[in-house]
Each structure stands twice: as structure tokens, then as C-alpha cells.
Amino acid sequence: MVIDTLSNILTNVANNIGYSEHLRVIKSNRPDLCDYQCDGVFNLSKLYHKSPIVIGEEIVSEINKIDDFDNYFKSVEFCKPGFINITLSNKFINDCLIKMDTNFKFNLKMPSRVLTYVVDYGGPNIAKPLHVGHMRPAIVGESIKRIIDYVGHKTISDVHLGDIGLPIGEVIYAIKRDNLTTSDITLEYLNKVYPMMSALIKEDEEIKAECASIIKDVQEKKNYLDYWKKICDVSSSDIKRLYKYLDVSFDYWLGESDAYDYIPKVKEYLISKDLLKESNGAKVVFINKETDKVNYPPLIFEKSNGAYLYESSDLGTIYQRMEDFNPDYILYITDARQGLHFEQVFRVCELSGMTKDTKLIHLPHGTINGIDGKPYKTRSGETPKLDDLFKEVKSIFISKKESNKNMSEEDINIIVNSILKFADLQNGRDKDYIFDINKFSDTQGKTGPYILYTYLRMNKIIEKFDSNINNLSNNIYNNYDRQLRVGLLDFEEFLMSAFREFKPSYIADYIYNICVSMNSFYQNNHIANLKDLEKLNDWISVIKIANKIIKEMLNLLIIDIPTEM
Ligand code: ARG
């Protein structure tokens, strides 16, 4: 809203004096000097072979002549060698705040065409207990989905369970060996047997081959289907329980196994495009392009024993999604190590034309590390199960303050969630980060509890006083006040960057900036004893809108608000 308005004004003025380019305004990188800036003069200087100083001063002098200058600007100045520095007028700042408060989604512009995004995230493998590594794709994916929905597009989310891979073959092998029936397949059993089997097959090739042949039978629906179903049921109900704790949900609980109905169609399609080739007995698709600098291995579609792989099931799933949803985008949120896999799959789609105009995007995420910089482990050196991680975070938060012990279970769980999610989502999606529980559960610093604490503190004040934003005066009373108001106007910019780059960290930054401004505003302005009623109404109105925005933005980071802290 702000950027567009300012850019349009500057562009119109420049057009009127003969520069027919679009001038884009950006947030100032020197907030001590101005609120917004425009660097477009350099480009005009190149195009029109004139010095940037001449052009810049010309434009600035014209802007200063416009009739409704005060509606937008306090000042517009030229700054050598070629910048236009913009300081907003109180009127503009306050008009924007009123619009944000009154209009749907804080005056966010809705897209002219609603696009459909399939969001594929979570992707846990059945039979293995969920551990800390499973948290990131779930949280990042859920947040990205919520952001896409919020900006007005349509999402279809799918957990894409790994429900027909080797781990299941391993578990069925053990069940057979131990002479068990389906009723013996419990979560405890799975948690115990899976690590044991994965250690065993590392040493014993014969057993591994046996497990592979078991899972092939399942894939072909020939045998062991009762075991398989029961393993999936037991495991997925536990996965659902953990996702529920994290407030992560899906429209579809499909899995790799659901793709098997579509694999024959993909096969036929690839054959019709003459892309499926024999190589060492396997059926593969060669994906190298002439322009490639590196050599990409072919995608193996079918192994020599006729079994299908992860690649084939992903192609089957894409076929199904095209048929059922015909989406504009399919997004995959997984570990960065799956980069090659998706490159192979996407290339096959492109070569064969299977996905037409649908864009496929892999959004890799980084790793959660411990303070030592290595993948996060418990004190005893294991990768912690999610349940254990939740417990650990809970106990560290409770130990921080005596009064935390008296908090309700529900509030504590909300705070544990805020600790985990704010820690995760504030980091660039594609970056590794160090999960320092102690630091992230503090009420100071860039943490979930800091945000929630600030929110609740402001809530107490706004509950005490009435206010009406429509009576907002034209005043802004001091720099703390101004900083808070101007910061709030960044809403659309941060949100749309989060959407365009699929990076929730922009939203975490925005919320954090607002909270920092809010705290210094609060500490330096004594609201509770205020006698000036106009000022009181202004300030309460500003805090109210700030809190409203924070609450909605926290929801995009899957963070709830506790009743008290
Ligand atoms: N199950 C996979 C894994 O654990 C992740 C699935 C991601 N989604 C997909 N369509 N391949 O690595």
C-alpha cells in the first residue's frame, strides 16, 4: 500500500517532466535520515545521459510543488549522489493506519487471479518414530501454506507419507520372524523393532534383500497387506497426535502408496514420449541437457526386478495431482539433501510435458543443530524423539521463573509451541540454525516468549481503556510513537516478501520489529496516568491495531496466544 502509493506519485511526477520510466520506492536503509527512499535516478541518468544530480533535483523540486504534498510527505529531499529521501507526513501515516484497521486483512490487496498451490510437506516415513528432524518440514510447510492462503490464493496440502518403503519391509520381516499377529503391532513394538532392524540390515545383505522382496510384494498388493495396513494405522495415528500438538494439519493424508495406482499411467505416458530407456536391466529416463555443466544421473523409473522407487512414486503423485487438482504450483518442502531427487523428477516432467504450465518448486530447508553446530542430539547423544524434545523445552521454560510453575497446562503448551516455532521460522528457511533451548525460551531477545509477553502486556492496557481509531488525531507525539506507527506500515511489504520467497522469516522479523518498538514506546510513554484524552485515544488505538496485526501474523507462524504469562 505505502510503497505502491509513493512509487506512483514519484513516477507520475517524473513522467510529467519527460522521464517515462517507473520509479520504485523502497524502505529506507538509513532510517535515521528518512522513512523511504528511491534510487531510480541512477537508472534515469543512464537512459537520458544526464547527471543524476540534475535529474534528482528536478524531480524533487516538482514533487515539492504538488497540491496534496502534505497528505503524503513531511519532506522529500535529494541526497547526492542520486537518492531521493522521503519522510512521511503524520497525516499519511495515520490515514494508512486507519485504512489498515478498517479494511479486510489490514488493507491487503487481494490477487486478481486466485492460483492453486499444492503444498507437500511433513513427509514422515511410517514405522519410524518422529524425531527432531521431522519438525522442520512440518512447521515450515504449515507456515508457508498459511501465508499463501492469507494472501488470497488457494492451497491444497498433502502430507505425502512415506508408507511403502524399505522400513516397512524391515518391520514386516521382524513380525514374521517373531511369529506375531497384527494385534501385536503396537507403537511400542514399532519404536523398538525399527532401530533394531535398521542396524541388522546394515550388516546382513541377505536380510536386506528379503526385506526388499517383502515390500515389493506389498507394492504389488500380493502379500502382507494386513500387516502393512496395521503398521500404517498405528504409526499414522501417532504422527497425527504429534502434528496436532504442533497444530499442523493437512487436507489430504495421502502417501507414496496412493501413487502406485498412477505409476502405470506414467509409464505408458513416458513410453508414448519415447523417454523410457533400458539401462542395465532397469527402465530409466535420461535427463541431461546440452547446456548442463554437471552430469545428472538418469532417473531410475523401474528397477531390474520390476520394483518402483521413490522417484516413480513422486511421478505417480504428480500425475494424480495434475488429474485431480490441475494446480498452478506444486511446492515441496523437504530437507536440502533431496535436491537431486527433485531435480530429476522435475526434469522428467518438463521433458515429457506431463505438467504443462504447472510450476514445480523444491523449497529446501536447513538442519536443526545443537550448540556444537552438529545435528541436534540429546545429552546422551541420541537424536531426540519429538515427545522428548517437547518435554525438554517445557521443563526448561518452567525452570526459568517460579511463577511459570503455576501456569495452566494449556498455556504452557502454547508457549512450548511458540519457543519451537519462533526459533525455527525466524531463521531463513534454507539455513541451518542452532537450537539453543535456553536462549529461545527466554522472555528477552528474539524469541516466542518475548513476543507473547509483549502482546499480553499491551493487551492488559488496551483492555483498560476505550478507544476509537476513527478519532485518531493528526498528531504523532514523539519518536518512539512515530517508530511504532511507521513500523506497522511495513506489513504488506514483509508479508508479500514472505509469500514471494516462501520464507516465513520475514513475518517473524516484522513481528519482532513491532514488539521492539512497542516495548520502547511503552517504556518511554506513561500511558496509564495520561490526562490528555486525545493522546490516550491515539495511543490506545495504535497499540490496539499493533496487537491485532501481531495476533494474525503469529497465526501464520502457527503460534497461539496464551491467556497469561
Ligand atoms: N518421505 C520423504 C522423506 O522422508 C519426504 C517426502 C517429501 N515429499 C515428496 N513428495 N517426495 O525423505
Side-chain angles (χ1 to χ4, degrees):
M1 160 179 63
V2 179
I3 300 256
D4 283 350
T5 308
L6 301 178
S7 301
N8 287 342
I9 296 175
L10 261 66
T11 302
N12 280 341
V13 167
N15 289 172
N16 285 344
I17 53 173
Y19 303 108
S20 56
E21 258 51 45
H22 181 77
L23 285 180
R24 181 143 181 91
V25 166
I26 55 174
K27 210 43 209 161
S28 160
N29 51 28
R30 285 287 306 274
D32 52 323
L33 293 182
C34 57
D35 302 319
Y36 288 82
Q37 67 186 56
C38 172
D39 308 348
V41 172
F42 291 111
N43 185 33
L44 296 184
S45 151
K46 263 191 241 133
L47 290 170
Y48 292 86
H49 309 292
K50 259 198 209 173
S51 110
I53 301 181
V54 172
I55 300 181
E57 282 178 344
E58 234 182 309
I59 294 177
V60 163
S61 122
E62 286 305 308
I63 292 176
N64 276 280
K65 286 186 213 150
I66 63 172
D67 288 345
D68 48 358
F69 184 88
D70 299 338
N71 285 352
Y72 304 99
F73 308 109
K74 178 159 178 246
S75 68
V76 179
E77 283 161 353
F78 179 71
C79 177
K80 281 181 192 159
F83 304 105
I84 299 175
N85 287 352
I86 300 167
T87 303
L88 305 179
S89 68
N90 287 359
K91 175 156 173 45
F92 185 60
I93 295 170
N94 290 336
D95 282 351
C96 288
L97 288 176
I98 294 173
K99 268 196 211 135
M100 285 174 78
D101 193 77
T102 342
N103 294 340
F104 183 58
K105 291 190 181 171
F106 310 109
N107 205 34
L108 187 67
K109 212 166 63 220
M110 287 292 111
S112 47
R113 196 163 80 84
V114 176
L115 303 174
T116 302
Y117 289 75
V118 169
V119 194
D120 174 320
Y121 61 98
N125 293 331
I126 290 280
K128 300 182 186 182
L130 291 200
H131 58 73
V132 61
H134 290 101
M135 191 168 70
R136 210 152 188 216
I139 293 180
V140 170
E142 175 74 24
S143 177
I144 290 177
K145 176 188 75 178
R146 291 184 184 204
I147 293 168
I148 298 173
D149 273 330
Y150 193 88
V151 305
H153 292 291
K154 178 177 176 225
T155 59
I156 297 168
S157 53
D158 179 12
V159 65
H160 201 73
L161 294 170
D163 60 357
I164 199 147
L166 190 62
I168 314 246
E170 294 168 28
V171 173
I172 297 178
Y173 174 92
I175 294 170
K176 267 182 25 169
R177 183 199 57 192
D178 300 344
N179 263 328
L180 303 178
T181 64
T182 48
S183 56
D184 298 314
I185 303 172
T186 60
L187 196 63
E188 292 69 47
Y189 179 74
L190 292 180
N191 287 348
K192 196 176 71 200
V193 79
Y194 178 74
M196 193 199 78
M197 281 304 296
S198 54
L200 189 62
I201 64 162
K202 278 199 189 104
E203 290 157 10
D204 196 321
E205 279 300 319
E206 240 172 71
I207 298 183
K208 187 173 175 184
E210 175 68 23
C211 298
S213 124
I214 292 176
I215 198 63
K216 184 165 179 273
D217 279 356
V218 176
Q219 290 174 357
E220 288 167 2
K221 298 203 169 87
K222 277 197 192 137
N223 211 343
Y224 312 117
L225 295 183
D226 288 349
Y227 291 147
W228 174 64
K229 279 205 183 83
K230 182 71 194 274
I231 296 168
C232 289
D233 283 352
V234 169
S235 192
S236 58
S237 63
D238 195 50
I239 291 170
K240 283 181 180 159
R241 174 185 67 83
L242 290 161
Y243 280 169
K244 187 159 187 243
Y245 186 82
L246 291 171
D247 202 5
V248 166
S249 64
F250 299 91
D251 299 317
Y252 290 92
W253 278 82
L254 297 175
E256 285 170 26
S257 67
D258 294 290
Y260 275 71
D261 294 341
Y262 295 85
I263 293 179
K265 298 188 188 182
V266 176
K267 187 170 169 181
E268 208 175 290
Y269 184 77
L270 293 176
I271 292 172
S272 78
K273 299 280 167 182
D274 198 23
L275 287 169
L276 210 55
K277 308 285 177 197
E278 289 276 330
S279 171
N280 297 325
K283 295 198 170 45
V284 309
V285 182
F286 292 99
I287 55 170
N288 271 320
K289 296 180 189 164
E290 267 173 29
T291 48
D292 285 343
K293 297 216 163 54
V294 286
N295 191 30
Y296 287 98
L299 175 139
I300 305 180
F301 185 77
E302 194 180 311
K303 290 209 287 194
S304 53
N305 69 353
Y308 294 118
L309 302 100
Y310 186 39
E311 286 68 28
S312 3
S313 75
D314 256 329
L315 287 169
T317 303
I318 292 172
Y319 199 98
Q320 171 257 322
R321 288 173 180 165
M322 291 303 295
E323 214 170 77
D324 293 352
F325 314 126
N326 189 24
D328 297 283
Y329 286 86
I330 305 180
L331 308 179
Y332 296 87
I333 293 103
T334 78
D335 192 296
R337 280 169 297 194
Q338 296 204 25
L340 175 62
H341 164 77
F342 286 111
E343 181 69 34
Q344 290 180 305
V345 171
F346 296 173
R347 280 179 177 228
V348 171
C349 292
E350 189 193 323
L351 272 172
S352 66
M354 193 170 104
T355 39
K356 300 185 200 99
D357 296 332
T358 302
K359 290 178 196 61
L360 309 177
I361 306 180
H362 178 215
L363 301 172
H365 63 76
T367 314
I368 304 180
N369 289 331
I371 310 182
D372 59 0
K374 303 206 183 93
Y376 191 85
K377 295 270 157 56
T378 56
R379 280 191 208 98
S380 56
E382 291 148 42
T383 304
K385 300 209 181 74
L386 269 187
D387 275 317
D388 296 335
L389 181 75
F390 299 160
K391 266 190 222 138
E392 195 178 352
V393 173
K394 198 184 258 187
S395 85
I396 291 183
F397 175 73
I398 292 178
S399 72
K400 290 250 167 196
K401 220 168 70 186
E402 198 49 39
S403 59
N404 289 353
K405 293 198 178 78
N406 305 326
M407 288 176 78
S408 74
E409 189 63 18
E410 210 170 307
D411 277 354
I412 297 248
N413 286 337
I414 290 177
I415 290 165
V416 169
N417 265 282
S418 82
I419 294 170
L420 295 167
K421 291 164 179 171
F422 206 80
D424 197 307
L425 297 172
Q426 69 173 269
N427 284 288
R429 174 201 10 99
D430 43 357
K431 306 267 185 321
D432 298 346
Y433 74 95
I434 291 182
F435 185 59
D436 179 343
I437 303 186
N438 204 20
K439 181 173 124 195
F440 288 125
S441 47
D442 222 82
T443 40
Q444 292 301 322
K446 199 172 178 182
T447 70
Y450 170 73
I451 307 291
L452 294 178
Y453 184 75
T454 308
Y455 178 91
L456 290 175
R457 189 185 197 182
M458 296 302 139
N459 238 23
K460 274 202 191 120
I461 302 176
I462 50 189
E463 274 165 8
K464 257 201 229 151
F465 302 99
D466 272 345
S467 71
N468 181 353
I469 187 133
N470 293 318
N471 297 336
L472 201 65
S473 79
N474 249 337
N475 299 323
I476 293 180
Y477 300 91
N478 52 45
N479 268 340
Y480 303 108
D481 180 2
R482 190 170 193 285
Q483 200 185 336
L484 175 59
R485 297 193 204 203
V486 173
L488 287 169
L489 306 190
D490 293 339
F491 168 74
E492 186 171 349
E493 189 61 7
F494 277 77
L495 175 65
M496 292 314 283
S497 299
F499 164 65
R500 274 192 300 269
E501 298 175 37
F502 305 113
K503 283 190 178 157
S505 57
Y506 283 103
I507 292 174
D509 288 342
Y510 176 72
I511 298 176
Y512 178 68
N513 292 346
I514 299 300
C515 286
V516 170
S517 303
M518 199 126 93
N519 276 309
S520 51
F521 168 77
Y522 179 74
Q523 273 149 23
N524 292 286
N525 294 309
H526 300 286
I527 302 174
N529 313 324
L530 219 54
K531 297 278 170 322
D532 178 341
L533 291 184
E534 184 173 76
K535 201 175 192 178
L536 184 67
N537 180 63
D538 288 353
W539 279 354
I540 297 296
S541 302
V542 172
I543 300 176
K544 231 186 206 169
I545 175 162
N547 255 25
K548 223 158 76 174
I549 298 178
I550 291 176
K551 189 171 181 182
E552 276 188 33
M553 292 303 99
L554 279 177
N555 187 42
L556 301 188
L557 305 185
I558 338 159
I559 297 176
D560 241 332
I561 312 268
T563 54
E564 56 178 1
M565 263 176 100

